[in-house]
Short mmCIF file of all heavy atoms in Angstrom, two decimals:
data_model
loop_
_atom_site.label_atom_id
_atom_site.label_comp_id
_atom_site.label_asym_id
_atom_site.label_seq_id
_atom_site.Cartn_x
_atom_site.Cartn_y
_atom_site.Cartn_z
N MET D 1 122.31 124.88 77.66
CA MET D 1 120.98 125.39 78.04
C MET D 1 119.91 124.32 77.92
O MET D 1 119.13 124.07 78.84
CB MET D 1 120.65 126.60 77.14
CG MET D 1 119.37 127.32 77.56
SD MET D 1 119.51 128.04 79.21
CE MET D 1 117.80 128.37 79.54
N GLU D 2 119.97 123.66 76.76
CA GLU D 2 118.98 122.60 76.50
C GLU D 2 119.05 121.48 77.58
O GLU D 2 118.05 121.02 78.07
CB GLU D 2 119.25 122.00 75.15
CG GLU D 2 118.01 121.40 74.49
CD GLU D 2 118.32 121.04 73.06
OE1 GLU D 2 118.24 121.97 72.22
OE2 GLU D 2 118.66 119.89 72.81
N ARG D 3 120.30 121.16 77.88
CA ARG D 3 120.54 120.10 78.85
C ARG D 3 119.97 120.53 80.21
O ARG D 3 119.38 119.74 80.96
CB ARG D 3 122.03 119.85 78.98
CG ARG D 3 122.31 118.46 79.51
CD ARG D 3 123.78 118.21 79.58
NE ARG D 3 124.36 117.85 78.31
CZ ARG D 3 125.67 117.62 78.15
NH1 ARG D 3 126.50 117.76 79.15
NH2 ARG D 3 126.15 117.24 76.98
N MET D 4 120.14 121.78 80.48
CA MET D 4 119.65 122.36 81.74
C MET D 4 118.13 122.24 81.81
O MET D 4 117.56 121.84 82.84
CB MET D 4 120.05 123.84 81.75
CG MET D 4 119.79 124.51 83.04
SD MET D 4 121.03 123.97 84.26
CE MET D 4 120.34 124.70 85.70
N ILE D 5 117.47 122.53 80.70
CA ILE D 5 116.01 122.45 80.65
C ILE D 5 115.54 121.02 80.86
O ILE D 5 114.63 120.75 81.66
CB ILE D 5 115.47 123.01 79.32
CG1 ILE D 5 115.67 124.53 79.31
CG2 ILE D 5 113.97 122.70 79.16
CD1 ILE D 5 115.37 125.20 78.00
N ILE D 6 116.21 120.11 80.18
CA ILE D 6 115.85 118.69 80.33
C ILE D 6 116.05 118.27 81.77
O ILE D 6 115.20 117.59 82.37
CB ILE D 6 116.69 117.81 79.34
CG1 ILE D 6 116.21 118.09 77.93
CG2 ILE D 6 116.53 116.32 79.70
CD1 ILE D 6 117.06 117.44 76.87
N PHE D 7 117.15 118.68 82.33
CA PHE D 7 117.42 118.33 83.71
C PHE D 7 116.35 118.85 84.64
O PHE D 7 115.83 118.13 85.48
CB PHE D 7 118.80 118.89 84.12
CG PHE D 7 119.10 118.66 85.58
CD1 PHE D 7 119.49 117.39 86.00
CD2 PHE D 7 118.98 119.69 86.50
CE1 PHE D 7 119.75 117.17 87.35
CE2 PHE D 7 119.21 119.45 87.84
CZ PHE D 7 119.62 118.20 88.25
N CYS D 8 115.96 120.11 84.36
CA CYS D 8 114.93 120.71 85.22
C CYS D 8 113.58 119.99 85.08
O CYS D 8 112.87 119.79 86.05
CB CYS D 8 114.74 122.17 84.88
SG CYS D 8 116.08 123.17 85.51
N MET D 9 113.29 119.60 83.83
CA MET D 9 112.01 118.90 83.62
C MET D 9 112.02 117.57 84.34
O MET D 9 111.05 117.20 84.95
CB MET D 9 111.78 118.68 82.11
CG MET D 9 111.22 119.92 81.45
SD MET D 9 111.09 119.75 79.70
CE MET D 9 109.96 118.41 79.56
N PHE D 10 113.16 116.91 84.26
CA PHE D 10 113.29 115.62 84.92
C PHE D 10 113.09 115.80 86.43
O PHE D 10 112.35 115.06 87.08
CB PHE D 10 114.65 115.01 84.64
CG PHE D 10 114.92 113.75 85.41
CD1 PHE D 10 114.33 112.57 85.05
CD2 PHE D 10 115.77 113.77 86.50
CE1 PHE D 10 114.55 111.42 85.77
CE2 PHE D 10 115.99 112.63 87.25
CZ PHE D 10 115.39 111.45 86.86
N PHE D 11 113.75 116.84 86.94
CA PHE D 11 113.69 117.11 88.36
C PHE D 11 112.26 117.43 88.78
O PHE D 11 111.73 116.91 89.77
CB PHE D 11 114.61 118.28 88.69
CG PHE D 11 114.73 118.53 90.15
CD1 PHE D 11 115.55 117.70 90.92
CD2 PHE D 11 114.06 119.57 90.77
CE1 PHE D 11 115.65 117.89 92.27
CE2 PHE D 11 114.16 119.78 92.12
CZ PHE D 11 114.96 118.93 92.88
N PHE D 12 111.61 118.24 87.96
CA PHE D 12 110.24 118.66 88.24
C PHE D 12 109.29 117.47 88.23
O PHE D 12 108.50 117.29 89.16
CB PHE D 12 109.84 119.71 87.18
CG PHE D 12 108.46 120.24 87.38
CD1 PHE D 12 108.18 121.06 88.47
CD2 PHE D 12 107.44 119.94 86.49
CE1 PHE D 12 106.91 121.57 88.64
CE2 PHE D 12 106.17 120.44 86.67
CZ PHE D 12 105.90 121.24 87.79
N CYS D 13 109.45 116.64 87.20
CA CYS D 13 108.58 115.46 87.10
C CYS D 13 108.81 114.50 88.26
O CYS D 13 107.84 114.01 88.83
CB CYS D 13 108.86 114.69 85.82
SG CYS D 13 108.17 115.56 84.40
N SER D 14 110.06 114.26 88.62
CA SER D 14 110.26 113.30 89.70
C SER D 14 109.76 113.84 91.02
O SER D 14 109.25 113.09 91.85
CB SER D 14 111.73 112.87 89.81
OG SER D 14 112.57 113.97 89.69
N SER D 15 109.81 115.16 91.20
CA SER D 15 109.27 115.68 92.45
C SER D 15 107.73 115.59 92.47
O SER D 15 107.13 115.41 93.49
CB SER D 15 109.75 117.09 92.75
OG SER D 15 109.38 117.95 91.73
N MET D 16 107.14 115.69 91.26
CA MET D 16 105.69 115.52 91.18
C MET D 16 105.30 114.11 91.53
O MET D 16 104.32 113.88 92.27
CB MET D 16 105.19 115.80 89.75
CG MET D 16 105.37 117.22 89.34
SD MET D 16 103.82 118.08 89.10
CE MET D 16 103.09 117.14 87.81
N VAL D 17 106.03 113.14 90.98
CA VAL D 17 105.74 111.74 91.24
C VAL D 17 105.88 111.46 92.75
O VAL D 17 105.05 110.81 93.38
CB VAL D 17 106.66 110.80 90.44
CG1 VAL D 17 106.56 109.37 90.91
CG2 VAL D 17 106.35 110.90 88.96
#
Side-chain angles (χ1 to χ4, degrees):
M1 187 63 196
E2 206 170 278
R3 203 179 280 177
M4 189 74 188
I5 290 172
I6 290 172
F7 176 76
C8 285
M9 279 174 62
F10 174 74
F11 187 77
F12 182 69
C13 286
S14 43
S15 59
M16 294 246 298
V17 169

